[in-house]
């Protein structure tokens, strides 16, 4: 902005240092036009009526100033709620509808893929589950199935784990293990005649039914 | 002879003179409210912000007395609080959501990114009279030009005070005012001409 235009504006609003300068500025045709345009609009703006806040707001502020020296106990005056514009309401309803559709769709999708993932089916059919164990790496199984469900699933398909759960059999197995070092025989070997055992010589062991001599 | 702002402030702060505070409030209510009304373009919101502004003023005078240094600029101080309240409101309305942090120092960039919810030319034509037309045209000014017009005509601040308040140079404030006046005149002429145009469909 040139010095002349700036000075015109300051003169127009009464903020120029030298009020006598306007006359000399207006000798310039361009500045005279500038002054005419700006002063016309300024005149219209000067005619605008001043707006005041609602009386209730002013009273509430004065009451706040009087009570407890102001705040923090001063309360704001709540104005009555305004009805939302139809356009805003339409936009809000549309947004909520879209969100509901997305949520329902997501739920159906999860249910669909979760139902066909084989968890419930494998629980009903151990044979099928064992095949799936062959195909699906254990890491991915852990990602899909909770740990407790995985253990119960495994107990149905793995005979060793099921055997482990049978405590009387386990107990018997432990007893056999403790008896084992006392005998040179291994379980499962072919039957051996009693006489061939060490320490079964004369005077020690006798065949059943043989008479003593 | 009306007591100066500083005397009224002293009476309120030191002697809890409620009448002094009411006098201050009523003296400046149009200047503050006119600015807020023009900034947010909504009377109800302007009422809320006006109340918020003066509650902050009360709090500052009573609890943070150092925040007002009594430099014979009570109105400018109140308007600074009002401006902050208006900007807080605009931010809360998510109008500033796309502002990058590095733009914080450039006020014109802030304003430029605000979505324009000013009335359309058709809305302006529907105005009842010249006053409505002029107010609608002010609403359609760019925010930084509108703010200078409001601070000068509604709040009666000098261009120096406007520059201090808005954080720009006095030349920038003057330039914004000049363009605002030119644009207002042009907009009003355009609207008047469009009223006489034949309706084409």
């Amino acid at each position: 902005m040139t010095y002349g235009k700036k000075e015109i504006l300051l003169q127009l609003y009464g903020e120029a240092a030298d009020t006598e300068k306007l006359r000399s500025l207006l000798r310039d045709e361009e500045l005279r036009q500038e002054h005419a345009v700006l002063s016309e609009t300024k005149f219209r703006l000067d005619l605008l009526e001043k707006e005041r806040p609602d009386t209730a707001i002013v009273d509430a502020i004065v009451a706040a100033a009087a009570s407890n020296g102001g705040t923090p106990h001063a309360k704001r005056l709540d104005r009555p709620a305004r009805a939302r514009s139809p356009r805003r309401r339409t936009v809000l309803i549309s947004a909520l509808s879209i969100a509901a559709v997305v949520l329902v769709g997501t739920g159906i999708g999860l249910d669909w893929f979760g139902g066909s993932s084989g968890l419930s089916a494998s629980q009903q059919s151990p044979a099928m589950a064992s095949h799936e164990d062959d195909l699906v790496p254990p890491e991915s199984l852990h990602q899909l199935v909770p740990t407790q469900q995985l253990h119960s699933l495994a107990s149905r398909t793995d005979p060793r784990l099921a055997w482990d759960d049978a405590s009387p059999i386990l107990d018997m197995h432990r007893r056999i293990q403790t008896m084992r070092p006392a005998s040179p025989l291994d379980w499962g070997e072919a039957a051996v005649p009693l006489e061939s055992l060490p320490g079964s010589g004369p005077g020690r062991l006798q065949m059943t039914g043989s008479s003593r001599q | 002879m009306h007591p100066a702002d500083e005397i009224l402030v002293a009476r309120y702060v030191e002697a809890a003179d409620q009448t002094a505070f009411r006098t201050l409030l009523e003296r400046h209510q149009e200047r503050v409210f006119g600015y807020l009304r023009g900034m947010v373009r909504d009377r109800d919101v302007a009422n809320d912000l006006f109340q918020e502004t003066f509650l902050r003023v009360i709090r500052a005078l009573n609890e943070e007395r150092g925040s007002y240094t009594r430099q014979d600029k009570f109105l400018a101080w109140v308007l600074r609080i009002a401006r902050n309240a208006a900007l807080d409101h605009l931010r809360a309305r998510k109008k500033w959501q796309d502002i990058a942090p590095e733009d914080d120092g450039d006020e014109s960039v802030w304003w430029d990114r605000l979505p324009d919810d000013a009335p359309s030319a058709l809305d302006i034509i529907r105005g009842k009279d010249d006053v409505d037309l002029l107010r609608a045209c002010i609403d359609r000014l760019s925010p930084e030009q509108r703010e200078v017009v409001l601070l000068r005509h509604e709040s009666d601040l000098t261009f120096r005070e406007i520059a201090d308040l808005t954080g720009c140079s006095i030349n920038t404030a003057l330039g914004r005012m000049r363009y605002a006046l030119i644009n207002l005149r042009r907009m009003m002429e355009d609207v008047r001409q469009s009223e006489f145009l034949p309706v084409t469909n």
Side-chain angles (χ1 to χ4, degrees), chain A residues 147-166:
Chain A
T147 312
Q148 285 185 337
Q149 290 183 12
L150 189 67
H151 286 168
S152 66
L153 180 66
S155 67
R156 285 167 183 259
T157 56
D158 190 340
R160 185 175 56 81
L161 291 176
W163 182 89
D164 282 346
D165 285 341

Side-chain angles (χ1 to χ4, degrees), chain B residues 1-17:
Chain B
M1 180 78 182
H2 299 295
D5 288 352
E6 304 310 314
I7 294 172
L8 293 172
V9 169
R11 281 183 194 165
Y12 171 64
V13 172
E14 292 162 14
D17 185 348

Side-chain angles (χ1 to χ4, degrees), chain A residues 6 9 13 15 34 40 46 49-50 52 54 59 65-66 69-72 76-77 79 82, chain B residues 12 18 30 42-44 47-48 51-52 58-59 62-63 135 152-153 159 171 174 177-178 185:
Chain A
K6 175 184 166 185
L9 201 58
Y13 280 92
E15 294 184 30
E34 173 94 1
E40 181 198 335
D46 287 341
E49 279 188 20
K50 303 278 187 182
R52 288 185 173 186
D54 294 347
D59 292 342
T71 50
R76 286 174 56 105
L77 180 72
R79 60 175 161 80
R82 283 184 301 174
Chain B
Y12 171 64
Q18 309 307 322
E30 291 173 347
D42 184 302
R43 183 175 172 83
D44 289 335
N47 267 317
D48 287 347
Q51 188 178 8
E52 177 67 30
I58 293 167
R59 190 179 308 137
N62 285 287
E63 297 175 5
R135 287 204 181 278
R152 189 65 189 81
H153 281 270
F159 288 113
N171 278 342
L174 285 167
M177 189 72 207
R178 176 174 174 268
R185 186 172 188 267

Side-chain angles (χ1 to χ4, degrees), chain B residues 117-129 132-133 136-137 140 191:
Chain B
D117 54 0
S120 66
L122 193 62
D123 294 331
I124 294 175
I125 292 171
R126 288 173 184 151
K128 295 172 189 170
D129 50 29
D132 290 337
L133 176 62
C137 289
R140 284 181 59 80
V191 170

